[in-house]
Amino acid sequence: MTAVVGGAAATTTFNIDVSSIVRRWNRIVVELMKSQSSPVSQMMPFDITRLISYLAAMTDYQAFIVAQPLLDCPETGPTEMPLPPDPVIQETENESAYDAIQLCIIARDELKNSQSARLPTNMIKFDYIRQSSYLAKLTNLITYIEKAEPLDLPESSPAMASTGAGHLGV
């Protein structure tokens, strides 16, 4: 079953930095969906550690982008480029992982549809503030998870199929 928040999001951008952030959000979504925590009702400590590192890396990357000068691209901007495809989302048994996935998707799709997506590089101040808010909410979700889990759900678990193993070698 695929039930996920978000709506029709852009499939192209004019902004190379937006493309890079979208790619990173998609990677975090897949990591959460395929984590060892996804088929159970608690986030494992190693998956929490990974999520903390993913969010720190995203925070640092977005700060790096906005710290760079806005580039003058008179010959190449605006140039429309395809965004990487969104991963197919499967519901997870782990409600906290699923909540984190949904927040990542909202952050990604908001940026895809933002004013920043029409710049050749960088981010508009207000889009950066929005992205920072999503990252803060995800960080606060981790604080909740660390206090509230594990949960004993003997009557309602398992409720859905496992999302399966991550990507195997290519």
Side-chain angles (χ1 to χ4, degrees), residues 25-27 29-30 33 84-90 105 108:
W25 277 126
N26 283 344
R27 177 66 70 91
V29 165
V30 171
M33 188 174 53
D86 296 339
V88 175
I89 306 301
Q90 297 171 264
I105 290 169
R108 179 200 67 202

Side-chain angles (χ1 to χ4, degrees), residues 16-74:
I16 193 164
D17 293 326
V18 166
S19 180
S20 295
I21 293 170
V22 166
R23 193 176 62 248
R24 284 167 171 79
W25 277 126
N26 283 344
R27 177 66 70 91
I28 294 170
V29 165
V30 171
E31 291 293 334
L32 285 165
M33 188 174 53
K34 296 296 187 176
S35 71
Q36 292 180 56
S37 299
S38 71
V40 295
S41 65
Q42 82 175 60
M43 288 290 285
M44 302 297 172
F46 38 82
D47 287 331
I48 289 174
T49 300
R50 288 184 186 106
L51 180 55
I52 290 168
S53 72
Y54 303 153
L55 298 178
M58 181 67 88
T59 299
D60 291 347
Y61 187 71
Q62 290 184 13
F64 161 76
I65 286 170
V66 298
Q68 302 306 304
L70 181 61
L71 299 179
D72 181 18
C73 304

Side-chain angles (χ1 to χ4, degrees), residues 103-129:
L103 283 170
C104 292
I105 290 169
I106 290 170
R108 179 200 67 202
D109 290 354
E110 285 291 331
L111 189 61
K112 283 181 176 185
N113 292 321
S114 71
Q115 292 182 67
S116 295
R118 293 184 166 231
L119 295 172
T121 64
N122 217 301
M123 292 170 69
I124 292 172
K125 171 184 165 183
F126 303 105
D127 293 329
Y128 177 64
I129 290 169

